Amino acid sequence: MAQLPEGDPAPADGALTRESVADAHERSLSLYVHIPFCAVRCGYCDFNTYTATELGHGASQDTYALAAAREVDFSAEVLRRAGAVPRELSTVFFGGGTPTLLPAGDLVMILERARSLYGVAPDAEVTTEANPDSVTPESLAELRAGGFTRVSFGMQSAVPHVLSTLDRTHSPERVPQAVQWARDAGLDVSVDLIYGTPGESIADWQASMDAALALEPDHVSAYSLIVEPGTKLAAQMRRGEVPMVDEDDHAEKYELADAVLADAGFSWYEVSNWARSEQHQARHNVAYWRNQDWWGIGPGAHSHIGGIRWWNVKHPSAYQQRIDAGVSPALAREVPSADARHLENIMLSIRLASGLPVSMLSLSERGRLPGFVARGLGHIVDGAGNEKPTPEDGDRFILTLKGRLLADGLVLELIEN
């Protein structure tokens, strides 16, 4: 599994400084709830998730919702003690893992606890991730009645052999059924796709794109397969049982996805995300990309309040022990340096269709933008969206399709000394 970053020990009472919340009214507040359970561990996954056989003693799916709700209580008290201005939650996101392995009533209970302590904005986006085989018409209707507005289905592919390589448990035929149930319940629908799986052809990826669009979703995420060390898929590649990742294949499939989605009326708003309209963008993720405030609930969850970042202990049993003891489940925290914050702000902003603000950059960094434009990696635009030749004339730098394919490397090039 991926390692948590190092940091200073987190205080047992979770205390935040008054300085960190002094300007909190200028930022939105979101809640992330991590549900760390999966029926089966997928071969590519290194997320902080656990199957029933991996949980061990001291943790249980049956009692997890109560523990998470108690951390919601704890979070509200920490913010109150710090003197934070009360803020309604603008977004709530249940991720995992597979949140819908828990009863819908458990998820609704956690949301209700947050609503009672924070309030949830009338137009808030409230999302849960779900596997197509982890929902029923009744569970989705219960979620909608409890205040959820959106469900994000882990479709990944419509091709059986690709799903098999990824160790996904659902059949392609289940996805349209689950989406229809969500629609009938009144929920917005997003589907997640993965491209670049070993053995996946261009025709396979086209078939998955066609199947996803046939569902008429509001939002599509398409992520390239990243094979993390320590995963089953990494071991299979190391042994030569499946082909290695091909970056050219990834690029071709990304270009195909962008063209197919654009033809279907979707617009990219972040490198890996497309929406039918601005109102269907994943607002919770946008809050991350724009460095707003969020509190992460659950084992391994990360939080960010006023420039202070912390992360919880990873294992559900260690998390449960801390919750039972009435102390913060946070393992460590940090306050990133000015240079680290600058790099992060660039990395996040440049991925958005709204673009990287020129004002964010140093003079030397601004000086590199015309070269990027000349190489076809982006455009410099003014406030009205008109292209400009130099950063002195423009407000933002927006990636082209070619630039999106090279975004990470472009950031490193931009900030080099």
Side-chain angles (χ1 to χ4, degrees), residues 172-392:
E173 294 76 19
R174 181 60 181 260
V175 181
Q177 187 178 42
V179 168
Q180 187 58 54
W181 291 341
R183 291 288 191 205
D184 291 344
L187 292 160
D188 287 349
V189 172
S190 175
V191 295
D192 289 354
L193 298 171
I194 291 177
Y195 59 88
T197 298
E200 179 191 60
S201 67
I202 291 294
D204 290 335
W205 178 233
Q206 179 73 61
S208 292
M209 294 297 303
D210 292 343
L213 290 175
L215 302 172
E216 299 185 347
D218 305 297
H219 181 279
V220 175
S221 298
Y223 301 107
S224 63
L225 179 66
I226 297 175
V227 182
E228 300 288 357
T231 61
K232 173 185 173 183
L233 192 55
Q236 290 174 316
M237 286 184 174
R238 188 172 61 251
R239 295 192 297 265
E241 296 171 4
V242 298
M244 301 294 287
V245 168
D246 184 332
E247 291 186 3
D248 290 337
D249 174 71
H250 279 196
E252 185 177 1
K253 288 172 180 173
Y254 181 86
E255 291 172 339
L256 176 62
D258 189 65
V260 169
L261 289 164
D263 286 345
F266 287 78
S267 298
W268 80 278
Y269 67 96
E270 192 274 342
V271 167
S272 299
N273 291 274
W274 292 258
R276 284 197 180 274
S277 67
E278 185 174 353
Q279 74 181 51
H280 289 120
Q281 294 178 6
R283 288 162 45 202
H284 185 84
N285 288 339
V286 171
Y288 291 156
W289 297 321
R290 292 182 175 163
N291 260 329
Q292 301 300 300
D293 285 352
W294 71 87
W295 195 296
I297 302 293
H302 286 235
S303 301
H304 171 254
I305 301 290
I308 299 176
R309 302 177 184 276
W310 66 93
W311 45 95
N312 287 351
V313 293
K314 290 184 68 172
H315 199 280
S317 61
Y319 174 79
Q320 183 74 56
Q321 289 168 11
R322 296 201 180 198
I323 293 296
D324 289 345
V327 301
S328 171
L331 174 66
R333 66 163 52 173
E334 65 178 3
V335 178
S337 68
D339 287 344
R341 290 197 304 271
H342 180 66
L343 171 60
E344 183 177 76
N345 287 336
I346 291 175
M347 291 182 67
L348 294 173
S349 295
I350 205 169
R351 295 178 64 87
L352 296 172
S354 55
L356 172 66
V358 172
S359 60
M360 186 182 291
L361 303 177
S362 68
L363 288 177
S364 62
E365 290 165 349
R366 294 179 195 183
R368 296 188 178 98
L369 294 183
F372 293 158
V373 173
R375 289 157 55 190
L377 300 175
H379 305 288
I380 300 169
V381 301
D382 63 15
N386 301 308
E387 291 191 31
K388 297 294 180 179
T390 67
E392 290 74 25

Side-chain angles (χ1 to χ4, degrees), residues 29 87-92 111-122 124:
L29 178 63
R87 288 174 289 173
E88 290 183 323
L89 298 171
S90 61
T91 67
V92 182
L111 177 60
E112 280 302 311
R113 186 68 61 89
R115 189 187 306 277
S116 68
L117 293 167
Y118 287 102
V120 174

